[in-house]
Amino acid sequence: MPVLTSPDIANKFKEKWLAVYPEDQVTGSDSVPLDDSLTSLHWLQNFSILSADPERPNGAGPGCPSSQQHLFLKRLGFPKGGTDSPSSPPAGDTAATGMPLYLGSPVTSGSDSTAAPRFASCAHPASGYPQIPIQASPPVEVDYKTNPKVKPPYSYASLICMAMQASKQPKVTLSTIYNWITENFCYYRHAEPSWQNSIRHNLSLNKCFKKVPRQKDEPGKGGFWQIDPQYADMFVNGIFKRRRMSANHYNSSSSSSSSSSSSTHRQSKLVQGYHSTQNGCPYQEVGGKRKHLPSKISNKAMRVTESPLLATEAHKADILRGDFDLASVFDDVLSGNCSTFEDLDINTALSSLGCEMEVSMQGRQHSAGLGRWCGGGDLMGQSQHLSHHQSYGYMDLSTASLECAVNMGELQVPPPPQQQHPQQLDQDQLLQSHHHLQQFDEPSTLFPERPEEAMLQPWEEIKEEAQAIPLTLDQGFGLCEGFFTEMQPWERVEAYL
DNA sequence: CATTGTTTATAGCATA
DNA sequence: TATGCTATAAACAATG
C-alpha cells in the first residue's frame, strides 16, 4: 500500500466523497470566512501523526523530551515551543514544574517493562515552553534504579501509573505494582514496607484508579487495578497531574453550562481534591475543620449516577451542548456488565499514556478519535466530553477551547423536493449530513450492547447547535486531514480512499 | 497467616 | 488563612 501523506489522504477522501456525494461540492464563495482568532486550526493541522509518530526517530537526546513525551504534550495541546496553540501548559503540572523527568520514559522505553531509565533532577527540559522555569544549573542525573538513598520524587499516584503503563497490561495487580516499583526504584527496595501501605491507600482513595474485580475463574488474590479512563488525562507521561484550580476558574469556565453539567461536576469533583473525596464521602466544614459526612453517596458510586445513559432532561440539555462526558459512557460500560471496554483495550493503550489509547480507540470507538482531532486543548480530557452521538453527524466540535463546530448546512445537501420551513430545511440538511457522516461512524458499532441508548439523542435536537458555528466543507476536510492520517484502519473510510 | 483493600486520622507543604 | 495535595500511620475487614 503506498504511503500517503495526510494531505494526500485528505484530498483523496475528498475526491471520493465528492464522487459519491457531488452535491457536497462547495464553491469558494460559499466558504464563510472564519474568525481566525477563534477558529484557526492551523496549529491543529500542523499536528501530524507523522511528526508525532513515536516510532519515528526524533534525534532527541538526553535532556530533550522523548518523542513520546513530546507527542503526548502535543496531544495535550502543548505544541513544542509553539505559540499557536490555544492551550498553554498547565501550571499545576508536576511534569512541568521542575519535577524530575524521564530521560527516556521507563514506561515507553521499550518492551522491557523493567528497563530502568535514568532520571534527571532538572527542570523540564522542554525549553520550548517559555512558561517553564529552566534551572541554570545542569541537570543532575539520579539513577533511581540503583540509588537507594534518594527517594524518587514521584508521588505514589505517579508511581502506580508508571507501573501500570510499564506492565503493558490493561489491568495490573497490586503485587505487580509493588514489583515494578521495587525493580525500578532502589529506594523502595530498601525502604520500610510502609510504602506499600501507601500504595494501597492511594489505589483505594485516588479516584484515578479503578479496581477491577478478579473474575471467579481467575486464580489469585485480590483484584486488578487500572487507571480510570475518566481520569486518564490526569497523567502526563506517567506523571500525575494535579488538577488544582480555583473554584472561580471552573465557575467561569462553565458559566455557560448548566450547573448540573456532568463535566462540570466531574471537574468540580477533581477540584474538591483528595481529601474531600478520598473517603468516598463529602466533607463538611464544621467549626473550621473538615468533617466527614456519613453519606457514602459520592465518589466512585457517584459516577454511576453521572452516566449520560441515565440522563435527566437537564442532563440531556448538557449533552446537546456538548457538555457531556463520554467517559461516563465508558464508565458505564466498565461498571456494568458490558465487556466492551476490555475490547477497546483502553488500558493497554494507556501503557503509552493516551497515545495508543486513542489509536486503539479509533479503530473501534470512533468518537474518541473524533474528540481528539476536533479537540484543541487537553485532548484526552476533551475526548471525554464527546458523546458518541455527537461523534457522527454532529462531528462534535463544540469543545470549548476549540470554539468551533460544524455547520452541516455548509455541506450543501440538496433541498428536499417539497417546500419547507427554513428551519425545517436546516434540520433536514443536518439529518442528511448526519446520514453521510453516519457511514463513517455508526453508533450501532460503538455500543452494540446498548442499542436503545445509542439512540438517546434525536438528531433533530442538535439543530441549533449545529447552526451555531459554521465550518465549511473544506475546513472540515482540513480537520479530517489529521484525523484520517491516524484512521487508516478505519474500514469504512478506506472505502473512500 | 499473609495479602489485599478500605477507612480514618493527621502532618507538612503548597497554593489561592 | 483556608484549602488542597500528598505522605504516613494505623485499624480493621475480607479473602485465598
Side-chain angles (χ1 to χ4, degrees):
Chain A
M1 185 171 174
V3 176
L4 296 176
T5 64
S6 50
D8 291 338
I9 294 171
N11 288 332
K12 233 181 165 181
F13 172 76
K14 183 177 180 178
E15 289 170 12
K16 295 283 186 176
W17 176 292
L18 292 176
V20 178
Y21 302 105
E23 67 273 16
D24 285 349
Q25 180 68 52
V26 177
T27 65
S29 59
D30 290 334
S31 300
V32 178
L34 298 177
D35 180 357
D36 258 8
S37 65
L38 290 176
T39 60
S40 172
L41 294 171
H42 294 158
W43 69 271
L44 179 60
Q45 290 178 327
N46 289 339
F47 168 52
S48 162
I49 188 69
L50 296 177
S51 63
D53 186 355
E55 302 298 325
R56 198 183 185 193
N58 64 350
C64 299
S66 70
S67 60
Q68 289 261 353
Q69 291 163 343
H70 187 185
L71 168 63
F72 195 75
L73 289 168
K74 290 188 79 169
R75 284 168 185 255
L76 290 173
F78 313 141
K80 183 187 180 182
T83 56
D84 50 350
S85 166
S87 305
S88 57
D93 186 352
T94 54
T97 52
M99 288 290 283
L101 195 75
Y102 302 130
L103 294 184
S105 165
V107 173
T108 57
S109 58
S111 57
D112 180 9
S113 65
T114 64
R118 281 152 54 219
F119 303 87
S121 294
C122 63
H124 197 295
S127 56
Y129 302 92
Q131 301 91 332
I132 299 168
I134 304 297
Q135 286 181 352
S137 56
V140 178
E141 290 189 18
V142 177
D143 188 344
Y144 292 113
K145 186 168 188 176
T146 58
N147 190 333
K149 294 175 183 173
V150 183
K151 184 180 181 181
Y154 303 102
S155 68
Y156 287 122
S158 295
L159 293 173
I160 293 167
C161 179
M162 293 178 202
M164 286 178 170
Q165 293 175 70
S167 76
K168 309 279 187 191
Q169 300 299 315
K171 54 189 181 182
V172 300
T173 62
L174 182 63
S175 61
T176 300
I177 296 171
Y178 288 161
N179 289 336
W180 187 87
I181 292 173
T182 52
E183 284 177 16
N184 289 283
F185 297 97
C186 187
Y187 173 87
Y188 291 108
R189 276 199 294 275
H190 300 87
E192 293 291 315
S194 62
W195 66 270
Q196 296 179 341
N197 185 18
S198 296
I199 292 290
R200 294 194 303 273
H201 165 84
N202 214 298
L203 283 169
S204 286
L205 299 187
N206 196 323
K207 300 192 309 301
C208 298
F209 302 119
K210 184 180 176 67
K211 186 180 172 184
V212 180
R214 194 180 287 264
Q215 299 298 315
K216 287 175 182 174
D217 55 349
E218 289 181 283
K221 190 177 182 181
F224 298 96
W225 294 91
Q226 62 180 200
I227 296 174
D228 189 330
Q230 193 167 0
Y231 302 101
D233 57 328
M234 292 181 71
F235 295 91
V236 175
N237 225 37
I239 306 299
F240 187 63
K241 273 172 63 180
R242 284 194 287 182
R243 285 291 190 81
R244 187 174 184 174
M245 291 184 187
S246 69
N248 286 342
H249 172 90
Y250 286 101
N251 288 339
S252 60
S253 66
S254 61
S255 58
S256 62
S257 299
S258 157
S259 61
S260 64
S261 153
S262 65
S263 63
T264 303
H265 185 191
R266 177 190 148 216
Q267 292 203 319
S268 66
K269 283 198 303 175
L270 293 174
V271 174
Q272 282 173 21
Y274 185 74
H275 272 113
S276 59
T277 57
Q278 64 174 342
N279 299 319
C281 57
Y283 278 82
Q284 186 183 40
E285 289 292 334
V286 176
K289 281 203 169 186
R290 285 174 293 196
K291 268 203 165 183
H292 290 279
L293 292 174
S295 166
K296 295 193 174 185
I297 297 173
S298 63
N299 205 1
K300 296 186 178 179
M302 188 74 129
R303 287 203 300 273
V304 176
T305 68
E306 291 177 343
S307 167
L309 304 180
L310 302 174
T312 62
E313 287 306 309
H315 197 157
K316 287 177 182 177
D318 290 336
I319 292 171
L320 294 176
R321 274 192 293 269
D323 208 354
F324 171 87
D325 197 341
L326 174 61
S328 297
V329 179
F330 294 162
D331 205 47
D332 234 56
V333 175
L334 279 165
S335 59
N337 295 325
C338 309
S339 59
T340 310
F341 211 84
E342 294 248 64
D343 297 337
L344 294 177
D345 203 13
I346 191 168
N347 300 289
T348 298
L350 282 170
S351 66
S352 290
L353 248 181
C355 307
E356 283 86 348
M357 166 187 170
E358 290 158 350
V359 171
S360 170
M361 292 176 72
Q362 283 162 5
R364 308 182 196 180
Q365 218 291 2
H366 304 153
S367 57
L370 284 165
R372 184 156 68 83
W373 69 272
C374 292
D378 184 340
L379 292 166
M380 260 181 99
Q382 290 194 4
S383 71
Q384 296 173 350
H385 296 282
L386 299 173
S387 83
H388 56 285
H389 314 295
Q390 293 164 336
S391 69
Y392 61 96
Y394 182 28
M395 295 174 74
D396 177 25
L397 298 175
S398 63
T399 42
S401 68
L402 194 56
E403 309 244 1
C404 173
V406 175
N407 181 350
M408 289 310 181
E410 293 288 330
L411 290 177
Q412 301 283 307
V413 178
Q418 67 269 41
Q419 190 87 15
Q420 290 192 10
H421 187 277
Q423 235 182 0
Q424 184 64 37
L425 184 64
D426 288 340
Q427 181 174 317
D428 282 6
Q429 286 178 339
L430 174 64
L431 287 170
Q432 287 200 37
S433 303
H434 152 60
H435 291 320
H436 292 177
L437 287 164
Q438 190 174 17
Q439 298 186 49
F440 296 87
D441 194 351
E442 289 188 356
S444 59
T445 65
L446 301 181
F447 294 91
E449 297 89 343
R450 300 185 174 215
E452 71 284 1
E453 285 150 353
M455 299 302 290
L456 264 181
Q457 298 304 322
W459 286 100
E460 291 81 353
E461 296 183 34
I462 64 175
K463 173 187 61 184
E464 285 185 16
E465 185 80 11
Q467 288 176 318
I469 312 171
L471 184 69
T472 66
L473 180 62
D474 281 333
Q475 289 163 329
F477 279 112
L479 285 171
C480 290
E481 176 186 326
F483 175 51
F484 289 118
T485 301
E486 304 176 24
M487 292 294 290
Q488 290 173 18
W490 197 4
E491 293 176 6
R492 288 183 175 273
V493 172
E494 281 180 0
Y496 285 82
L497 295 179

